Amino acid sequence: MKKLLAFASLFLTCLSLQAQVKKSVSILGDSYSTFIGYLVPDTNYVWYPAEKRSTNDVTDVRQTWWHRFIRENGFRLCINNSFSGATICYTGYNKEDYSDRSFCTRLKYLGNPDIILVFGATNDSWAKSPIGEFKYAGWTHGDLYKFRPAMAYMLSQLIDRYPGVDLYFIINDILSSEVTESAKAICDHYGVKYIMLHDIDKQSGHPSVKGMEQIADQLRDVVK
């Protein structure tokens, strides 16, 4: 009986300690997820707070969607690896080579999180990066210059590099239908949950304070 009571006490203690440990969140993103002084590495290009030529009312890191979401849901930040203007694939604006900043390149540097939130494809859509064909294995270097094979490669690599981690993909509400539907199909192929944003308030093409709150709320409805 004493051994049984001791085991029960130890079990309850373990459960209590487990409940006290906050889950950590890493973000792989673009300008929507940046804020000066809060990125790893700190050499990544930043959009928030808004550049002088732009109008946007987000001025405090606590107003960003990711800071609000993490704070309000009892998580903790592991790494925010976001890069303004970055595409998932290697083809950026004006058909320039963005392989140095692409999601496919930066996915290796997310630390040791419990949850990974990927918020991308906006720049692939805006830059009109080549869409390519669906491809789920045997990627070549050239394949990664096209959106569909690059996104499939990214999700495959994230799943393999971070086993046991909860992975979510956030889809912006202003993307081309081709990019949006491709992203959904690729997420479905890998069994990755996605959050399809809707009616997000924006200023200068980027979420405002109200828009950031809307993103955090819509994300909370999916990520438990």
Side-chain angles (χ1 to χ4, degrees):
M1 178 61 79
K2 288 183 178 180
K3 287 184 178 180
L4 182 61
L5 290 173
F7 176 78
S9 176
L10 179 61
F11 178 72
L12 290 173
T13 300
C14 288
L15 285 180
S16 177
L17 289 173
Q18 194 173 36
Q20 294 173 26
V21 176
K22 292 184 177 182
K23 287 190 173 183
S24 64
V25 178
S26 284
I27 299 109
L28 181 62
D30 52 31
S31 60
Y32 278 37
S33 308
T34 61
F35 201 91
I36 191 166
Y38 290 86
L39 303 182
V40 177
D42 59 9
T43 52
N44 288 3
Y45 293 171
V46 176
W47 199 88
Y48 286 101
E51 300 162 345
K52 292 181 180 179
R53 66 177 182 273
S54 301
T55 301
N56 191 287
D57 60 1
V58 175
T59 58
D60 189 296
V61 70
R62 293 173 67 87
Q63 296 170 322
T64 62
W65 70 267
W66 53 271
H67 200 289
R68 181 187 294 270
F69 172 76
I70 289 172
R71 188 176 70 250
E72 293 179 353
N73 292 281
F75 299 133
R76 64 181 180 85
L77 177 64
C78 181
I79 285 179
N80 183 349
N81 191 326
S82 297
F83 198 119
S84 181
T87 45
I88 288 176
C89 72
Y90 285 174
T91 304
Y93 289 91
N94 302 313
K95 307 305 178 187
E96 293 179 12
D97 191 325
Y98 274 24
S99 57
D100 62 333
R101 69 201 67 178
S102 79
F103 283 59
C104 291
T105 299
R106 291 181 291 114
L107 64 83
K108 303 174 185 177
Y109 310 109
L110 297 176
N112 185 31
D114 299 298
I115 300 169
I116 295 176
L117 303 176
V118 183
F119 196 172
T122 297
N123 290 300
D124 297 80
S125 180
W126 288 357
K128 295 180 171 57
S129 302
I131 196 74
E133 300 297 328
F134 291 106
K135 188 173 183 179
Y136 297 108
W139 302 276
T140 65
H141 182 75
D143 287 332
L144 301 187
Y145 284 88
K146 301 171 185 176
F147 175 71
R148 283 172 176 163
M151 178 154 174
Y153 172 85
M154 176 189 70
L155 293 185
S156 175
Q157 287 292 299
L158 286 169
I159 291 167
D160 289 346
R161 287 178 177 273
Y162 304 95
V165 169
D166 293 327
L167 177 62
Y168 299 88
F169 189 83
I170 306 169
I171 305 175
N172 201 356
D173 61 351
I174 55 172
L175 308 186
S176 69
S177 58
E178 195 170 36
V179 168
T180 297
E181 295 309 313
S182 296
K184 290 179 179 179
I186 296 167
C187 283
D188 286 340
H189 176 86
Y190 287 105
V192 172
K193 291 182 180 178
Y194 61 81
I195 297 93
M196 184 67 240
L197 300 179
H198 60 86
D199 305 312
I200 302 301
D201 188 71
K202 300 182 181 71
Q203 297 169 347
S204 300
H206 290 69
S208 61
V209 171
K210 179 182 178 181
M212 292 290 192
E213 183 177 1
Q214 291 170 320
I215 293 172
D217 289 345
Q218 292 177 30
L219 186 58
R220 185 189 61 238
D221 291 339
V222 177
V223 182
K224 304 299 182 182

